[in-house]
């Protein structure tokens, strides 16, 4: 008999927090072993452990929300606040990179030649690949909004097609940025310019990869009929995250690629 008289979801005991913690410990220890002894065996074990724990934990969350009906409106409100706070923490994460960039560029030290970019560093032309990537990412923001709009209006085929297009644009962006890195005339060790450029754009690229994966998983769930016009927070969270990635790239393009040259 069910005596649950409140709208909150009290989760069942799960092994995945424990396996995730052990996997994270193995992953960290594996990094130390790799750095010092050039052996990746423990690192691979830890990485696979974390990956499997993530997949199975999220599988349980999908099962609870989609098939067991445990994600009530009250629970969804809590999930929305959790995602919002996570994005705010990501904003502060990138704020530190912008702080480092402007701290060095607005008043370049003598070691940098008192100029920005530093002497010997040839920055990218902001109107080549960076501008193309800006168009691609802004277009992907439009297509993911199209997918959300189609889902709300129960236009399933349009939602699937537009979400697929968003994922392809994300892959295209990542490919162009990888090509840009290969062709770069400077490296991460080229003064503070190289460090701030590659750390900021590299972490943004990592977020694009994560966001693309997030959207493609949502695409599979959408094809499988997991989302409806009134119950689709998994996709909504992915769309929020993707718009955050769009906004961060605009700041990166304007400050580092354009103004910083």
């Amino acid at each position: 008999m069910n005596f649950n008289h409140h709208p909150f979801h009290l989760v069942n005991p799960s092994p995945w927090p424990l396996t995730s913690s052990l996997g994270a410990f193995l992953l960290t220890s594996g990094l130390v072993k790799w750095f010092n002894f050039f052996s990746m065996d423990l690192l691979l074990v830890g990485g696979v452990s974390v990956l499997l724990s993530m997949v199975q934990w999220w599988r349980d969350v999908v099962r609870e929300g989609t098939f067991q009906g445990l994600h009530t409106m009250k629970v969804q409100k809590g999930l929305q606040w959790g995602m919002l706070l996570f994005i705010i923490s990501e904003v502060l994460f990138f704020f530190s990179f912008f702080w480092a960039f402007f701290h060095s560029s607005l008043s370049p030290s003598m070691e940098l030649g008192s100029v920005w970019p530093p002497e010997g560093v040839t920055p990218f032309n902001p109107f080549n690949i960076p501008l193309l990537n800006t168009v691609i990412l802004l277009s992907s923001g439009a297509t993911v909004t199209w997918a959300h709009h189609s889902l709300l209006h129960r236009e399933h085929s349009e939602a699937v097609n537009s979400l697929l297009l968003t994922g392809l644009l994300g892959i295209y962006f990542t490919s162009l940025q990888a090509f840009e890195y290969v062709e770069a005339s400077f490296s991460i060790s080229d003064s503070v310019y190289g460090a701030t450029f590659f750390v900021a754009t590299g972490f943004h690229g990592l977020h694009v990869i994560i966001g693309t994966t997030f959207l493609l998983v949502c695409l599979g769930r959408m094809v499988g009929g997991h989302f409806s016009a009134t119950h689709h927070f998994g996709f909504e969270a992915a769309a929020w995250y993707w718009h955050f990635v769009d906004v961060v790239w605009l700041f990166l393009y304007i400050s580092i690629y354009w103004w910083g040259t």
Side-chain angles (χ1 to χ4, degrees):
M1 184 178 295
N2 184 10
F3 294 99
N4 185 12
H5 298 297
H6 57 76
F8 301 100
H9 175 208
L10 303 180
V11 297
N12 295 324
S14 171
W16 311 131
L18 178 60
T19 59
S20 298
S21 301
L22 292 174
F25 174 74
L26 291 175
L27 185 63
T28 307
S29 303
L31 284 170
V32 174
K33 186 177 180 183
W34 180 35
F35 293 159
N36 289 275
F37 302 105
F38 307 103
S39 174
M40 296 184 64
D41 51 355
L42 191 59
L43 176 63
L44 293 175
V45 172
V48 171
S49 300
V50 170
L51 181 62
L52 291 177
S53 297
M54 289 165 57
V55 170
Q56 294 175 102
W57 200 344
W58 286 331
R59 176 207 61 190
D60 288 353
V61 173
V62 169
R63 181 183 297 155
E64 292 163 357
T66 305
F67 302 110
Q68 297 176 352
L70 298 175
H71 287 183
T72 62
M73 294 303 296
K74 199 73 173 179
V75 173
Q76 289 186 63
K77 185 65 67 175
L79 292 172
Q80 289 172 352
W81 273 106
M83 189 65 192
L84 179 61
L85 292 173
F86 169 71
I87 291 176
I88 291 174
S89 72
E90 291 281 87
V91 170
L92 298 176
F93 177 74
F94 278 97
F95 181 80
S96 63
F97 301 143
F98 286 107
W99 185 288
F101 175 80
F102 284 111
H103 174 78
S104 299
S105 60
L106 291 175
S107 181
S109 64
M110 292 179 60
E111 290 78 10
L112 300 177
S114 299
V115 294
W116 192 266
E119 292 183 354
V121 173
T122 303
F124 290 104
N125 185 342
F127 301 108
N128 287 340
I129 290 181
L131 181 59
L132 176 58
N133 265 346
T134 303
V135 174
I136 292 170
L137 214 52
L138 290 178
S139 299
S140 71
T143 55
V144 77
T145 303
W146 175 23
H148 192 196
H149 183 271
S150 300
L151 185 60
L152 291 175
H153 289 78
R154 296 178 172 83
E155 298 170 349
H156 184 262
S157 60
E158 282 196 19
V160 170
N161 292 335
S162 53
L163 190 53
L164 174 61
L165 181 57
T166 306
L168 293 176
L169 288 172
I171 294 172
Y172 188 26
F173 176 93
T174 303
S175 302
L176 286 176
Q177 190 166 31
F179 175 76
E180 182 182 67
Y181 280 8
V182 171
E183 296 296 315
S185 62
F186 56 93
S187 69
I188 194 172
S189 60
D190 283 327
S191 75
V192 70
Y193 184 90
T196 54
F197 175 87
F198 281 106
V199 169
T201 60
F203 269 112
H204 177 267
L206 177 62
H207 282 69
V208 171
I209 294 172
I210 294 172
T212 304
T213 306
F214 200 175
L215 290 171
L216 292 177
V217 169
C218 287
L219 175 63
R221 294 186 62 195
M222 189 176 290
V223 172
H226 289 191
F227 298 136
S228 68
T230 57
H231 192 90
H232 56 267
F233 176 71
F235 167 71
E236 196 173 19
W240 289 2
Y241 186 85
W242 196 251
H243 287 308
F244 159 74
V245 169
D246 282 349
V247 172
V248 171
W249 175 257
L250 284 178
F251 281 99
L252 284 172
Y253 177 74
I254 293 172
S255 59
I256 295 180
Y257 281 100
W258 189 2
W259 179 87
T261 59

